[in-house]
Amino acid sequence: MELTNSIRKLVSSLGTAKARRETGLFMAEGTKCVTDTIHSFSPQYIFATQNWIDENGAMLMGVAEPVIVKRADMARMSQLTTPPEIIAVYSIPDIVLDRQRLQTSLTLALDRVQDPGNLGTIIRIADWMGVKDILCTFDTVDVYNPKVIQATMGAISRVRVHYVNLQTVLSEMSPLPVFGTFLDGENIYTKRLPTSGIVVMGNEGNGISDDIGRMVTDRLFIPPYPLGQTTSESLNVAVATAITLSEFRRQHANMQF
Protein backbone atom coordinates (compact mmCIF):
# COMPACT_ATOMS: atom_id res chain seq x y z
CA MET A 1 0.00 0.00 0.00
CA GLU A 2 1.17 3.54 -0.69
CA LEU A 3 0.12 6.94 0.56
CA THR A 4 -2.24 8.58 -1.95
CA ASN A 5 -3.57 12.13 -1.98
CA SER A 6 -7.03 10.92 -0.97
CA ILE A 7 -5.67 8.98 2.03
CA ARG A 8 -3.49 11.91 3.02
CA LYS A 9 -6.52 14.21 2.94
CA LEU A 10 -8.58 11.68 4.88
CA VAL A 11 -6.04 11.50 7.70
CA SER A 12 -5.65 15.27 7.83
CA SER A 13 -9.44 15.69 8.03
CA LEU A 14 -9.64 13.60 11.21
CA GLY A 15 -8.84 16.74 13.16
CA THR A 16 -12.52 17.66 12.73
CA ALA A 17 -15.41 16.05 14.59
CA LYS A 18 -17.46 15.95 11.38
CA ALA A 19 -14.86 13.82 9.58
CA ARG A 20 -14.53 11.47 12.54
CA ARG A 21 -18.29 10.96 12.65
CA GLU A 22 -18.57 10.37 8.90
CA THR A 23 -15.62 7.98 8.63
CA GLY A 24 -15.81 6.28 12.03
CA LEU A 25 -12.05 6.84 12.37
CA PHE A 26 -9.70 8.67 14.72
CA MET A 27 -5.96 9.18 14.91
CA ALA A 28 -3.16 8.77 17.44
CA GLU A 29 0.19 10.48 16.97
CA GLY A 30 3.68 9.87 18.32
CA THR A 31 5.57 6.81 19.54
CA LYS A 32 4.13 6.60 23.06
CA CYS A 33 0.56 7.35 22.04
CA VAL A 34 0.62 4.78 19.23
CA THR A 35 2.43 1.99 21.09
CA ASP A 36 0.10 2.44 24.09
CA THR A 37 -3.02 2.14 21.92
CA ILE A 38 -2.06 -0.20 19.07
CA HIS A 39 -3.21 -3.34 20.94
CA SER A 40 -6.51 -1.82 22.11
CA PHE A 41 -8.00 -0.48 18.88
CA SER A 42 -8.41 -1.75 15.35
CA PRO A 43 -5.78 -0.05 13.13
CA GLN A 44 -6.84 0.91 9.62
CA TYR A 45 -3.59 2.67 8.69
CA ILE A 46 -0.15 3.02 10.26
CA PHE A 47 2.14 5.67 8.78
CA ALA A 48 5.77 5.94 9.85
CA THR A 49 9.03 7.40 8.62
CA GLN A 50 11.88 5.11 7.63
CA ASN A 51 13.86 6.40 10.59
CA TRP A 52 11.08 5.35 12.98
CA ILE A 53 10.85 1.91 11.37
CA ASP A 54 14.61 1.42 11.69
CA GLU A 55 14.54 2.26 15.40
CA ASN A 56 11.14 0.98 16.54
CA GLY A 57 9.71 -1.28 13.84
CA ALA A 58 9.74 -4.35 16.09
CA MET A 59 6.92 -2.77 18.11
CA LEU A 60 4.53 -3.30 15.20
CA MET A 61 5.44 -6.90 14.39
CA GLY A 62 2.34 -9.07 14.25
CA VAL A 63 0.07 -6.06 14.71
CA ALA A 64 0.05 -3.96 11.58
CA GLU A 65 2.09 -3.33 8.44
CA PRO A 66 3.16 0.32 8.36
CA VAL A 67 3.16 2.55 5.31
CA ILE A 68 6.55 4.26 5.06
CA VAL A 69 6.14 7.98 4.35
CA LYS A 70 8.33 11.08 4.19
CA ARG A 71 8.46 13.60 7.03
CA ALA A 72 6.83 16.16 4.71
CA ASP A 73 3.82 13.84 4.39
CA MET A 74 3.66 13.39 8.16
CA ALA A 75 3.58 17.17 8.54
CA ARG A 76 0.65 17.42 6.12
CA MET A 77 -1.35 14.76 8.00
CA SER A 78 -0.45 15.66 11.59
CA GLN A 79 -2.47 17.81 13.96
CA LEU A 80 0.62 18.57 16.06
CA THR A 81 2.84 21.64 15.83
CA THR A 82 5.87 19.36 15.62
CA PRO A 83 4.94 16.41 13.37
CA PRO A 84 5.59 12.94 14.81
CA GLU A 85 7.32 10.07 13.05
CA ILE A 86 4.36 7.72 13.40
CA ILE A 87 0.60 8.16 13.05
CA ALA A 88 -2.01 5.45 13.59
CA VAL A 89 -5.57 5.64 12.27
CA TYR A 90 -8.06 3.50 14.20
CA SER A 91 -11.71 2.56 13.92
CA ILE A 92 -13.84 4.21 16.60
CA PRO A 93 -14.97 1.34 18.84
CA ASP A 94 -18.58 0.62 19.74
CA ILE A 95 -18.61 0.91 23.54
CA VAL A 96 -21.66 -0.36 25.43
CA LEU A 97 -22.56 1.13 28.80
CA ASP A 98 -23.00 -1.56 31.45
CA ARG A 99 -25.37 0.02 33.98
CA GLN A 100 -25.05 -2.92 36.34
CA ARG A 101 -21.29 -2.35 36.58
CA LEU A 102 -21.89 1.27 37.58
CA GLN A 103 -23.86 0.15 40.63
CA THR A 104 -20.77 -1.39 42.23
CA SER A 105 -18.00 0.96 41.14
CA LEU A 106 -16.85 4.56 41.32
CA THR A 107 -17.82 6.33 38.11
CA LEU A 108 -16.93 9.78 36.83
CA ALA A 109 -19.44 12.02 35.01
CA LEU A 110 -18.51 15.15 33.06
CA ASP A 111 -21.00 17.95 32.49
CA ARG A 112 -20.04 20.05 29.43
CA VAL A 113 -16.24 19.90 29.81
CA GLN A 114 -14.99 21.79 26.76
CA ASP A 115 -11.20 21.84 26.73
CA PRO A 116 -9.54 18.85 24.97
CA GLY A 117 -6.51 19.03 27.26
CA ASN A 118 -8.74 18.91 30.33
CA LEU A 119 -10.68 15.89 29.05
CA GLY A 120 -7.51 14.04 28.13
CA THR A 121 -5.96 14.76 31.51
CA ILE A 122 -9.15 13.69 33.31
CA ILE A 123 -9.11 10.36 31.44
CA ARG A 124 -5.49 9.90 32.50
CA ILE A 125 -6.43 10.70 36.12
CA ALA A 126 -9.34 8.26 35.98
CA ASP A 127 -7.00 5.56 34.71
CA TRP A 128 -4.59 6.20 37.60
CA MET A 129 -7.41 6.16 40.16
CA GLY A 130 -8.97 2.94 38.88
CA VAL A 131 -12.08 4.57 37.41
CA LYS A 132 -13.04 2.53 34.35
CA ASP A 133 -16.12 4.42 33.09
CA ILE A 134 -16.66 8.10 32.36
CA LEU A 135 -20.12 9.42 31.48
CA CYS A 136 -20.14 12.56 29.34
CA THR A 137 -22.94 14.90 28.36
CA PHE A 138 -23.38 15.16 24.61
CA ASP A 139 -21.93 18.69 24.65
CA THR A 140 -18.67 17.57 26.25
CA VAL A 141 -15.69 17.75 23.88
CA ASP A 142 -15.25 14.72 21.61
CA VAL A 143 -13.04 12.10 23.23
CA TYR A 144 -11.55 11.23 19.81
CA ASN A 145 -10.32 14.76 19.22
CA PRO A 146 -6.57 14.32 18.49
CA LYS A 147 -5.68 16.72 21.33
CA VAL A 148 -7.71 14.61 23.77
CA ILE A 149 -6.07 11.38 22.57
CA GLN A 150 -2.63 12.96 22.94
CA ALA A 151 -3.36 14.21 26.46
CA THR A 152 -4.55 10.80 27.68
CA MET A 153 -1.02 9.40 27.27
CA GLY A 154 -2.48 5.98 26.40
CA ALA A 155 -5.13 5.95 29.13
CA ILE A 156 -7.85 5.97 26.44
CA SER A 157 -7.00 2.27 26.01
CA ARG A 158 -8.19 1.44 29.52
CA VAL A 159 -11.00 3.90 30.30
CA ARG A 160 -14.41 3.61 28.65
CA VAL A 161 -15.93 6.99 27.72
CA HIS A 162 -19.68 7.11 27.09
CA TYR A 163 -21.74 10.00 25.68
CA VAL A 164 -25.17 9.84 27.27
CA ASN A 165 -28.20 11.80 28.38
CA LEU A 166 -26.69 12.30 31.81
CA GLN A 167 -29.95 13.20 33.53
CA THR A 168 -31.54 9.98 32.31
CA VAL A 169 -28.61 7.79 33.38
CA LEU A 170 -28.39 9.42 36.82
CA SER A 171 -32.10 8.85 37.40
CA GLU A 172 -31.77 5.21 36.30
CA MET A 173 -28.90 4.68 38.76
CA SER A 174 -30.92 5.80 41.80
CA PRO A 175 -30.43 5.18 44.74
CA LEU A 176 -26.70 5.19 43.88
CA PRO A 177 -25.27 8.39 45.42
CA VAL A 178 -24.32 11.23 43.08
CA PHE A 179 -21.53 13.56 44.21
CA GLY A 180 -20.65 17.00 42.90
CA THR A 181 -18.26 19.77 43.94
CA PHE A 182 -19.76 23.11 45.02
CA LEU A 183 -18.62 26.11 47.06
CA ASP A 184 -21.43 25.44 49.55
CA GLY A 185 -20.75 21.70 49.83
CA GLU A 186 -19.57 19.63 52.77
CA ASN A 187 -15.83 19.48 53.40
CA ILE A 188 -14.60 16.51 51.34
CA TYR A 189 -11.95 15.68 53.95
CA THR A 190 -14.43 15.25 56.80
CA LYS A 191 -17.24 13.53 54.90
CA ARG A 192 -17.35 9.75 54.86
CA LEU A 193 -17.19 8.66 51.22
CA PRO A 194 -18.36 5.29 49.82
CA THR A 195 -16.53 2.92 47.47
CA SER A 196 -19.20 3.27 44.78
CA GLY A 197 -21.13 6.20 43.37
CA ILE A 198 -21.05 8.75 40.56
CA VAL A 199 -18.83 11.83 40.82
CA VAL A 200 -19.93 14.74 38.61
CA MET A 201 -17.45 17.40 37.49
CA GLY A 202 -18.70 20.52 35.73
CA ASN A 203 -17.84 22.93 32.96
CA GLU A 204 -14.61 24.93 33.21
CA GLY A 205 -16.34 28.31 33.52
CA ASN A 206 -19.80 27.54 34.86
CA GLY A 207 -19.43 24.38 36.93
CA ILE A 208 -22.24 21.85 37.16
CA SER A 209 -25.41 22.88 35.33
CA ASP A 210 -28.61 23.51 37.32
CA ASP A 211 -30.40 20.49 35.80
CA ILE A 212 -27.59 18.11 36.74
CA GLY A 213 -27.00 19.88 40.04
CA ARG A 214 -30.53 19.06 41.15
CA MET A 215 -29.70 15.37 40.78
CA VAL A 216 -26.63 15.56 43.02
CA THR A 217 -27.36 13.87 46.34
CA ASP A 218 -24.11 14.81 48.10
CA ARG A 219 -22.53 18.24 47.63
CA LEU A 220 -18.78 18.32 48.28
CA PHE A 221 -16.39 21.22 48.86
CA ILE A 222 -12.62 21.15 48.35
CA PRO A 223 -11.44 23.68 50.98
CA PRO A 224 -8.49 26.00 50.44
CA TYR A 225 -5.68 26.06 52.98
CA PRO A 226 -5.92 27.63 55.44
CA LEU A 227 -9.71 27.71 55.48
CA GLY A 228 -11.08 31.19 54.89
CA GLN A 229 -7.96 32.55 53.21
CA THR A 230 -8.39 34.59 50.03
CA THR A 231 -7.34 32.36 47.14
CA SER A 232 -7.93 31.81 43.44
CA GLU A 233 -11.58 31.83 42.43
CA SER A 234 -11.62 28.14 41.52
CA LEU A 235 -9.59 25.08 40.62
CA ASN A 236 -8.99 23.76 37.13
CA VAL A 237 -11.51 20.97 36.50
CA ALA A 238 -8.80 18.35 35.93
CA VAL A 239 -7.04 19.33 39.17
CA ALA A 240 -10.35 19.24 41.06
CA THR A 241 -11.05 15.80 39.58
CA ALA A 242 -7.69 14.50 40.78
CA ILE A 243 -8.24 15.83 44.32
CA THR A 244 -11.78 14.47 44.52
CA LEU A 245 -11.01 10.98 43.23
CA SER A 246 -7.88 10.81 45.37
CA GLU A 247 -9.91 11.44 48.52
CA PHE A 248 -12.44 8.75 47.56
CA ARG A 249 -9.60 6.27 47.11
CA ARG A 250 -7.62 7.42 50.17
CA GLN A 251 -10.50 6.67 52.52
CA HIS A 252 -10.56 3.05 51.39
CA ALA A 253 -6.88 2.51 50.62
CA ASN A 254 -6.50 -0.02 53.46
CA MET A 255 -8.93 -2.32 51.60
CA GLN A 256 -6.14 -3.05 49.07
CA PHE A 257 -3.78 -4.46 51.69
Side-chain angles (χ1 to χ4, degrees):
M1 176 186 165
E2 64 179 32
L3 180 63
T4 63
N5 284 332
S6 60
I7 293 176
R8 187 189 298 112
K9 290 179 180 178
L10 166 65
V11 178
S12 178
S13 74
L14 296 179
T16 69
K18 181 175 183 291
R20 293 192 295 274
R21 286 194 302 269
E22 291 178 348
T23 63
L25 302 173
F26 73 101
M27 64 193 299
E29 302 187 62
T31 300
K32 178 168 177 53
C33 193
V34 171
T35 55
D36 282 350
T37 55
I38 191 72
H39 295 286
S40 300
F41 299 102
S42 176
Q44 299 303 303
Y45 305 105
I46 303 288
F47 306 100
T49 63
Q50 185 63 62
N51 181 66
W52 192 94
I53 295 296
D54 292 342
E55 295 182 2
N56 307 282
M59 296 180 182
L60 300 179
M61 289 185 62
V63 179
E65 186 68 30
V67 178
I68 300 175
V69 299
K70 298 177 181 178
R71 289 191 64 86
D73 290 317
M74 298 297 280
R76 294 170 70 180
M77 293 187 289
S78 176
Q79 305 297 314
L80 301 177
T81 303
T82 302
E85 291 199 70
I86 183 168
I87 293 175
V89 176
Y90 300 124
S91 296
I92 294 175
D94 184 18
I95 301 175
V96 178
L97 177 61
D98 183 346
R99 286 166 168 75
Q100 186 172 357
R101 182 174 60 238
L102 302 191
Q103 293 285 357
T104 58
S105 58
L106 188 63
T107 302
L108 189 59
L110 303 180
D111 181 14
R112 303 167 301 140
V113 170
Q114 297 296 300
D115 183 80
N118 280 338
L119 178 56
T121 302
I122 287 170
I123 293 171
R124 189 176 175 186
I125 291 165
D127 184 35
W128 186 266
M129 294 294 176
V131 173
K132 299 301 183 184
D133 290 279
I134 298 179
L135 310 175
C136 295
T137 56
F138 291 118
D139 46 0
T140 292
V141 63
D142 179 18
V143 67
Y144 297 111
N145 180 309
K147 293 180 180 178
V148 176
I149 298 297
Q150 198 71 24
T152 70
M153 297 294 287
I156 189 65
S157 299
R158 295 173 293 275
V159 178
R160 296 174 288 265
V161 180
H162 314 271
Y163 286 81
V164 300
N165 183 316
L166 189 54
Q167 287 179 267
T168 298
V169 174
L170 292 180
S171 64
E172 291 174 349
M173 292 297 101
S174 179
L176 193 68
V178 178
F179 299 86
T181 54
F182 298 87
L183 293 177
D184 63 350
E186 185 176 348
N187 189 323
I188 191 172
Y189 301 123
T190 58
K191 182 175 178 61
R192 184 63 179 165
L193 302 173
T195 56
S196 59
I198 299 176
V199 178
V200 181
M201 305 303 294
N203 172 267
E204 290 89 343
N206 301 306
I208 297 172
S209 63
D210 291 340
D211 288 342
I212 300 300
R214 283 189 282 271
M215 306 189 76
V216 171
T217 60
D218 295 79
R219 297 167 73 92
L220 303 174
F221 171 57
I222 301 172
Y225 183 86
L227 193 63
Q229 176 176 280
T230 300
T231 63
S232 301
E233 183 179 336
S234 63
L235 290 170
N236 169 275
V237 64
V239 172
T241 300
I243 293 171
T244 301
L245 293 182
S246 178
E247 182 59 17
F248 270 86
R249 295 311 195 198
R250 185 198 66 81
Q251 292 194 15
H252 301 279
N254 62 326
M255 295 176 61
Q256 299 182 31
F257 302 99

